[in-house]
Amino acid sequence: MKVLGMLFVVVCAVSLWVLEPISLNPFSTQSYLISSDSSLYNCSPSQTNDVDILITETVSSKKLLGVSTGFFSKKCGSYLASVGFSNKSDRLTLDYRTPVRIASIAKPMTAVAIMQLVEQGAVDLDQAVSQYLPQVKGTPLEQATIRQLLNHSSGIAHYASPLASMSFTNYPTLIDATKTFINKPLAHAPGTAFKYSSYGYTVLGALIEEVSKLSYEQYMRENIWSKAGMVDTSVERFGRQVDSSKLYIKVSSKFIRSPVTDLSIIASAGGIQSTANDLLMFGRAIIDNRLISRDSLEQMIDVNEALSERIGDDPYGLGWAVLKDRNQNRLIAHSGNQFGASSFLSIDLERAFVSAVISNAANSKGSVYKLNRNIIKRMVVGQNYL
């Protein structure tokens, strides 16, 4: 009986922690305050008002708990807005400067870092990754190339289930992280099929560490984030999320607390926290060729031989999904979804327009995508590619 009593107490404590508290599920409030910055926006305020309405409607309909968004155009400048809550229990509002997990938007950042190493002649896209990472030699991944890791055709496995993505182990380096999966059988022979894999990007992060002789975070800070002006972006450190949003999971119309997972096993694939403004800065740096040359970007978004379409996915290049409108204007994009985060970043290359949406709850990916799509529709007249 004593054991059952203790078990009952534990279950109740966990339930109260998860539901945070029961009275706030489903979560509702009478008003949602928008935190915004239009100081760098030079066009009609009616357009930003439309965006404010869009994000408020999305949150008030219980599709998102907290969301931070923004857009940039070369003609008008940038606008940032956030609405909802970073802490449901204490009813703390989500500010557009609050760091939030960006999930798989880390992948195009890592891919750009790889392309920098290619431009320097430090690596070759079509060489086996084992030529640069000694620990890969003798493993099933030995013959996979860097290009195949970038476009998810290396054969390395992804999570077997959502629960398999939960890690509470800390890995000091990405090279250490690769040891947990590097000897597992491949899902298919390298270069023969598309299989999305975060672990493939962990290997790419380890490659950056090995070749640059820097930690992944140091390389990214010096060569990507600082150059792009991304002052609030960092690799998330387990237990050190001081100023960042709490993590949630959307279950139907309810938002429950998410376990705080350790992202060090996928730091270069989905272990970064950032803000909407910093994502806009990253997009602007891509458009302005400040991180890599336009030729390198064209290599990244060449999807003529993409294998992803065979299984019904969007055309996927080297770290970017590539979409087109009826006029063949290209939109490069990446989404993300993990415990405590749903995100979407898109860059319209021809129109020089960047938009970003990040939310603090898993399973909100569809709502984040739709909000990003609707922002583009309001701000870029006549496009029809989403």
Side-chain angles (χ1 to χ4, degrees), residues 68-333:
S68 182
T69 186
F71 61 85
F72 164 81
S73 73
K74 284 212 168 181
K75 177 183 177 182
C76 296
S78 60
Y79 178 72
L80 295 162
S82 62
V83 67
F85 295 85
S86 64
N87 183 322
K88 178 164 66 72
S89 179
D90 297 333
R91 301 205 177 199
L92 299 179
T93 57
L94 180 69
D95 187 89
Y96 57 83
R97 293 165 293 230
T98 303
V100 180
R101 287 181 171 185
I102 61 170
S104 288
I105 294 177
K107 290 183 175 70
M109 294 183 187
T110 296
V112 169
I114 292 291
M115 295 307 294
Q116 289 180 336
L117 296 178
V118 171
E119 290 183 344
Q120 296 164 18
V123 300
D124 185 322
L125 287 177
D126 295 309
Q127 282 292 321
V129 68
S130 57
Q131 296 297 311
Y132 307 97
L133 281 175
Q135 64 269 35
V136 175
K137 292 182 178 180
T139 72
L141 198 63
E142 183 174 19
Q143 298 304 316
T145 67
I146 296 171
R147 185 186 302 275
Q148 290 164 350
L149 286 165
L150 285 166
N151 65 21
H152 298 291
S153 67
S154 69
I156 195 167
H158 192 45
Y159 312 128
S161 69
L163 288 178
S165 67
M166 293 177 65
S167 174
F168 300 98
T169 302
N170 183 260
Y171 299 92
T173 70
L174 284 163
I175 291 173
D176 293 322
T178 63
K179 297 174 184 177
T180 65
F181 57 80
I182 202 70
N183 287 300
K184 293 182 178 179
L186 299 182
H188 56 77
T192 61
F194 177 87
K195 175 112 178 136
Y196 187 88
S197 172
S198 287
Y199 292 145
Y201 272 72
T202 298
V203 176
L204 290 169
L207 173 65
I208 291 169
E209 291 183 336
E210 180 70 23
V211 172
S212 71
K213 304 306 178 186
L214 300 172
S215 70
Y216 172 76
E217 182 169 26
Q218 185 178 354
Y219 182 91
M220 298 299 287
R221 188 172 303 284
E222 293 178 6
N223 296 281
I224 302 293
W225 303 331
S226 293
K227 288 184 177 181
M230 302 165 65
V231 297
D232 295 311
T233 300
S234 62
V235 170
E236 183 182 292
R237 299 297 177 187
F238 185 72
R240 302 181 194 173
Q241 302 96 326
V242 178
D243 299 317
S244 54
S245 172
K246 280 194 174 182
L247 312 177
Y248 295 92
I249 301 171
K250 186 174 185 290
V251 181
S252 186
S253 63
K254 298 176 174 61
F255 292 94
I256 64 174
R257 284 186 68 175
S258 167
V260 182
T261 52
D262 189 311
L263 301 177
S264 59
I265 192 171
I266 54 163
S268 50
I272 294 172
Q273 57 182 7
S274 188
T275 63
N277 183 57
D278 274 12
L279 294 186
L280 296 185
M281 298 298 284
F282 177 63
R284 293 174 65 177
I286 294 295
I287 290 172
D288 294 338
N289 307 314
R290 283 186 278 126
L291 301 178
I292 55 174
S293 69
R294 186 59 183 241
D295 286 344
S296 291
L297 179 62
E298 291 295 335
Q299 287 188 66
M300 294 183 77
I301 61 178
D302 181 353
V303 291
N304 288 325
E305 298 181 7
L307 298 173
S308 53
E309 293 177 277
R310 294 183 184 178
I311 61 171
D313 279 13
D314 293 327
Y316 196 97
L318 308 182
W320 294 106
V322 183
L323 307 174
K324 291 183 179 180
D325 68 9
R326 290 176 298 181
N327 298 317
Q328 298 302 298
N329 294 312
R330 292 172 299 177
L331 179 90
I332 61 176

